[in-house]
Amino acid sequence: MSENKKTLRAGDVMQPQFIEMDGLMTVADALAAMADGHTNTLIINKRHDDDEFGIVLLSDIAKKVLAKNRAPERVNLYEIMSKPVIAVDERMDVRYVARLFDQFGLSRAPVIREGRVVGMVSNDDLVLRGLMKLRRS
């Protein structure tokens, strides 16, 4: 890579707004939070220091609750979340984030700084905020 090109990192293109919830909350609680926060992704908090973060997407709710005719008020988030979540460090080059997404079939991931979630990055962010900035530099 030439020295005059800027390296864009996950932290440069991430969305700093995200919603964290406890895994014991219900899908009904999650749907209300997602509607209020205009998001389709939730981060499920760690329960203790040796635990890992989880993630719930709207598609998880569609597949694991709606399609199976389960009552959202009776399903806890821990029942449908993906855990452990694949996360990216805020300093990761956006090109490597895109490769990671491709290798693991991801569309979004939490961005981590010092073991804490600080944002979310998606394919949209990588292309619209990352690739566009790279082209301009």
Side-chain angles (χ1 to χ4, degrees):
M1 189 165 144
S2 102
E3 290 181 37
N4 61 355
K5 289 210 175 193
K6 180 181 183 211
T7 299
L8 280 176
R9 313 246 178 232
D12 298 328
V13 300
M14 73 178 188
Q15 298 291 331
Q17 308 87 353
F18 60 95
I19 298 174
E20 291 180 289
M21 294 188 83
D22 186 278
L24 292 174
M25 302 293 287
T26 67
V27 170
D29 297 326
L31 290 171
M34 291 168 115
D36 288 346
H38 305 287
T39 186
N40 57 6
T41 308
L42 295 173
I43 296 299
I44 307 304
N45 288 322
K46 293 180 176 186
R47 299 200 62 165
H48 50 78
D49 288 342
D50 294 322
D51 199 9
E52 295 297 327
F53 291 105
I55 193 167
V56 173
L57 307 176
L58 270 182
S59 59
D60 295 321
I61 296 171
K63 293 173 192 173
K64 299 173 184 176
V65 179
L66 182 60
K68 294 186 178 191
N69 199 30
R70 297 176 73 190
E73 301 81 16
R74 298 183 59 155
V75 178
N76 296 94
L77 293 175
Y78 73 81
E79 297 177 66
I80 65 166
M81 71 180 171
S82 297
K83 182 177 177 175
V85 67
I86 297 174
V88 299
D89 187 275
E90 70 174 343
R91 296 166 297 176
M92 186 182 285
D93 186 314
V94 294
R95 290 172 254 254
Y96 291 122
V97 176
R99 289 180 193 172
L100 182 77
F101 281 16
D102 180 51
Q103 286 180 323
F104 290 97
L106 304 175
S107 61
R108 66 191 69 252
V111 178
I112 303 291
R113 178 190 311 135
E114 298 175 4
R116 296 190 44 81
V117 176
V118 294
M120 292 292 297
V121 66
S122 69
N123 278 321
D124 291 353
D125 300 322
L126 294 174
V127 174
L128 297 176
R129 299 176 81 193
L131 186 58
M132 296 300 288
K133 285 182 183 177
L134 284 173
R135 290 187 49 131
R136 289 188 212 130
S137 58

